[in-house]
Amino acid sequence: MPGTRLILKTFIFLAPTSVLAVEQISPRMSLQAFAEYHLYVDENGDGIVDASEDRRSEAAKSRLDSLRKGVRVMKSRKPSDPTSWFYQAAIHGVSDQAVIQAADRDPGVLAVRREMFWNRCPHNGESSADFLIWHRAYLYYFEQILRGAADDPTLSVPYWDYTRGHTSFPASFADQMLANDGVIPTNPLFTSERSGAFTRGRTQLSDKVSTDALDLIKREKLFFGPTEDTGFAGGVYDSDGSTMGLIERRPHNDVHVAIGGIVGNDKLGLMTEVQRAAFDPIFWVHHANIDRLFEMWVRLPNREWGYFPEASWFVEKPWFFYDAEGAIHNEPRHYYLYGRNIRASYDDIDSSFPALTDKLPYDFRGTASFLATLPENFSIDSETGLSTNRVIPSCECCRRKASRTVLSTETETTIELNTIGSSVTSMKLMSLKPLVARPERSPQTMLEISFSLPRKPLVLGYEVLLSSQGPAGKPIRKTVGNLSLFGTRHHSLHRTQPAGIVTQSFNITPFVSEMLHREAQLVVTLRPYSLYSQTAPKMSRGAGKIIVTNIDIKVN
């Protein structure tokens, strides 16, 4: 849009004196402390929480009112407004059908640069290591917009800490707040497109999804793994959106599926599908907790960067975000990875305590951007920082960097690139040497499991176990990962294999090293596990089924 500011900043390490300013920002609080919903209880069983039963503090009531106001105001804005609920949710993912429906009430939707701003979550063929960094940036700018919509500069997105015992669905998001004789829900945090049994308190998250998941990620020492499915954050070795790092698989994916569940007979809830998940307000408190676990992990002892990529990966700027003022931010990956650049903190994390991310694998001080191209007709006024573009956006060409029809009758065709950066800065960045040791990546043995998507929804996970005979005939059996059903339908659309088939990979190199001999029969076991506690053992997992179409072992 003309007049929009595009922020292109050189990454700067904050001096110690700047850290104090970060700590003065209102921290993100646990949802239980934020809303005190455990003190809002219908004690006499009449279906109404009256004043005598509401023991929440005035501060908690005010915080929850601000959160509701912010969501309500964002939902009231036109879908084409970058600060609206629709626009912000669509950044994560949105279907063509939803866009068409939105355009019926707001024709401005058709002018949105969709390929530049929407469906940008790293589930579309990006490396798994993008997951944590992209969601951190996404949450950060959303929070600014929410704060502005609530007209409350103290408001921060709370986090739902299901990894430390708060495994029931949060009441402040489940309460419909019915009006008009008990018919119309007025709570903007509520949606009916969630697992009914979970949101109504018939069950809770299982240990495997919550406390066990926390134990697994705390035991992992490496940030970047040798393969996409290993390491806390994943890796950078393929561009398949269905391969995921440790924290993305669990608790992230499992919690998504548990919340979305099955609505009615055979419809998946919002949180179960990539292109609808961020439309559910619970998405944001879930991802605030994922980002909190990120901040917690980097402060644990003996953390290492592991198999980190070259400097070029850290300096790339693949993402564009709007802030509350309408400015467009386009920062390198390392800007968001260095947590002290993000004006956010958590009530249970000492941000002054040293973190792995305080010292990145490369020294980017004094470096700028690689030589790169901006989208067509998109340029920057170097003096004002304002966008000088006059582009007429459309989803087919808005991210296109250069295009021209080349005719065979022409002797030559000239194509001018819309560039930023310089060859000098590119060469300087390419010559950067790592500041920390990086292990040599040896060939890795991978187990690939392909399966067909269920025709009817499933709400569960599958533990993947591998067994064989070890030395002296002693059996070996170990868990090598879990099949995740979050986003499987979406992932199947971004692969070259037949539609409806999903392949997920697991690094079995440590398992193979224990066998100590070449010839051994391998057995793969898929063990279903519940996402919910056993308080409701008869609760349906859905009538669907997966069919394994292929299992393969590869070395890469």
Side-chain angles (χ1 to χ4, degrees):
M1 62 180 68
T4 297
R5 290 183 293 125
L6 178 66
I7 308 300
L8 292 167
K9 297 196 294 288
T10 300
F11 177 73
I12 301 174
F13 281 83
L14 296 177
T17 54
S18 300
V19 175
L20 181 61
V22 174
E23 294 174 341
Q24 293 173 338
I25 300 295
S26 299
R28 293 172 181 165
M29 302 173 63
S30 75
L31 187 55
Q32 188 167 26
F34 178 93
E36 295 180 0
Y37 52 80
H38 58 293
L39 302 178
Y40 184 75
V41 182
D42 177 20
E43 295 175 346
N44 60 21
D46 64 356
I48 301 173
V49 181
D50 56 39
S52 65
E53 295 171 311
D54 185 357
R55 294 180 172 81
R56 295 174 298 162
S57 67
E58 291 303 315
K61 293 176 184 178
S62 177
R63 286 191 296 265
L64 188 55
D65 285 345
S66 280
L67 178 61
R68 286 173 173 155
K69 178 183 177 181
V71 173
R72 185 180 294 110
V73 169
M74 289 180 67
K75 287 185 174 182
S76 72
R77 293 170 176 166
K78 297 189 302 182
S80 61
D81 182 345
T83 66
S84 72
W85 189 262
F86 185 95
Y87 197 106
Q88 285 295 303
I91 291 173
H92 185 271
V94 65
S95 67
D96 289 341
Q97 181 181 4
V99 172
I100 292 171
Q101 291 173 347
D104 285 342
R105 62 182 188 275
D106 176 16
V109 167
L110 299 178
V112 171
R113 285 168 284 180
R114 287 170 55 188
E115 294 299 319
M116 191 170 176
F117 291 101
W118 289 358
N119 285 309
R120 303 305 296 147
C121 178
H123 297 297
N124 304 302
E126 295 84 357
S127 66
S128 61
D130 276 332
F131 167 78
L132 277 175
I133 305 171
W134 184 90
H135 281 88
R136 163 169 284 181
Y138 183 35
L139 175 65
Y140 176 58
Y141 294 115
F142 169 86
E143 185 175 60
Q144 294 178 31
I145 292 170
L146 178 71
R147 192 176 288 142
D151 194 23
D152 181 357
T154 69
L155 177 64
S156 293
V157 175
Y159 62 89
W160 173 22
D161 185 12
Y162 36 74
T163 59
R164 289 192 305 190
H166 303 304
T167 53
S168 297
F169 190 82
S172 50
F173 285 75
D175 183 6
Q176 297 186 49
M177 297 171 55
L178 296 175
N180 289 10
D181 298 324
V183 175
I184 301 175
T186 62
N187 182 7
L189 306 180
F190 170 81
T191 176
S192 61
E193 294 192 64
R194 296 172 181 149
S195 166
F198 186 24
T199 57
R200 293 169 191 151
R202 287 173 49 199
T203 189
Q204 301 174 339
L205 294 174
S206 69
D207 290 346
K208 187 174 287 292
V209 176
S210 54
T211 54
D212 291 355
L214 178 61
D215 290 341
L216 280 174
I217 60 176
K218 287 172 70 174
R219 288 201 298 267
E220 176 58 56
K221 301 294 185 181
L222 302 183
F223 188 83
F224 294 103
T227 54
E228 292 280 302
D229 68 311
T230 54
F232 175 72
V236 292
Y237 300 103
D238 70 43
S239 56
D240 181 355
S242 67
T243 51
M244 298 153 280
L246 190 61
I247 191 174
E248 184 178 1
R249 291 201 310 273
R250 191 188 301 164
H252 171 264
N253 285 4
D254 282 354
V255 172
H256 262 279
V257 176
I259 296 171
I262 299 174
V263 181
N265 293 326
D266 59 359
K267 181 182 178 182
L268 293 172
L270 295 177
M271 282 284 282
T272 314
E273 298 188 284
V274 171
Q275 290 188 318
R276 303 199 304 150
F279 286 87
D280 187 336
I282 200 70
F283 173 94
W284 302 99
V285 298
H286 169 38
H287 271 279
N289 194 49
I290 295 297
D291 189 71
R292 174 187 149 273
L293 293 174
F294 182 3
E295 280 296 291
M296 174 212 72
W297 187 90
V298 296
R299 288 175 169 79
L300 293 174
N302 304 317
R303 305 295 102 164
E304 298 177 9
W305 283 111
Y307 299 81
F308 56 88
E310 296 300 323
S312 57
W313 185 86
F314 291 91
V315 180
E316 285 177 348
K317 299 181 177 182
W319 310 315
F320 295 84
F321 295 99
Y322 279 98
D323 67 13
E325 304 302 321
I328 301 173
H329 294 255
N330 178 225
E331 307 288 1
R333 285 186 179 94
H334 66 70
Y335 180 86
Y336 303 112
L337 189 56
Y338 183 70
R340 299 185 190 278
N341 282 326
I342 303 299
R343 294 195 302 154
S345 60
Y346 292 91
D347 61 357
D348 65 340
I349 295 177
D350 183 355
S351 58
S352 66
F353 195 80
L356 174 70
T357 48
D358 289 342
K359 184 178 181 181
L360 299 177
Y362 299 91
D363 184 356
F364 295 109
R365 288 176 296 185
T367 62
S369 299
F370 274 105
L371 185 63
T373 54
L374 287 171
E376 282 188 335
N377 302 317
F378 198 96
S379 57
I380 308 300
D381 187 317
S382 59
E383 294 185 2
T384 66
L386 296 177
S387 164
T388 59
N389 66 312
R390 294 293 183 270
V391 66
I392 301 176
S394 66
C395 64
E396 291 81 10
C397 69
C398 56
R399 295 187 71 233
R400 186 180 298 155
K401 303 300 179 65
S403 63
R404 182 68 55 85
T405 301
V406 179
L407 301 177
S408 60
T409 55
E410 295 178 331
T411 57
E412 63 180 34
T413 302
T414 302
I415 303 175
E416 185 174 352
L417 300 180
N418 185 16
T419 59
I420 57 173
S422 69
S423 59
V424 174
T425 58
S426 286
M427 295 303 294
K428 184 175 182 178
L429 284 164
M430 290 171 66
S431 64
L432 286 181
K433 302 299 181 184
L435 298 176
V436 296
R438 176 170 49 190
E440 182 178 349
R441 185 180 182 273
S442 58
Q444 303 291 306
T445 305
M446 307 298 296
L447 174 71
E448 290 189 349
I449 301 178
S450 300
F451 58 94
S452 62
L453 296 179
R455 293 185 178 181
K456 293 185 177 181
L458 280 174
V459 182
L460 74 166
Y462 286 95
E463 202 80 21
V464 180
L465 299 101
L466 194 59
S467 55
S468 182
Q469 287 188 351
K474 183 179 180 181
I476 306 174
R477 193 183 201 200
K478 289 193 174 182
T479 296
V480 295
N482 65 292
L483 291 181
S484 172
L485 299 184
F486 172 65
T488 49
R489 192 169 304 279
H490 177 78
H491 294 150
S492 72
L493 300 176
H494 293 274
R495 292 183 60 86
T496 56
Q497 58 192 11
I501 301 295
V502 172
T503 299
Q504 295 184 2
S505 301
F506 307 91
N507 190 333
I508 61 172
T509 307
F511 182 92
V512 172
S513 67
E514 289 189 35
M515 292 169 58
L516 297 179
H517 59 290
R518 296 181 178 179
E519 296 182 6
Q521 188 70 31
L522 294 178
V523 178
V524 175
T525 302
L526 301 182
R527 179 191 294 164
Y529 63 87
S530 177
L531 306 182
Y532 308 106
S533 69
Q534 298 307 306
T535 55
K538 295 183 179 180
M539 190 176 138
S540 173
R541 295 175 172 180
K545 61 183 179 181
I546 67 170
I547 298 175
V548 175
T549 58
N550 189 57
I551 297 180
D552 197 7
I553 293 177
K554 295 183 177 180
V555 177
N556 63 24

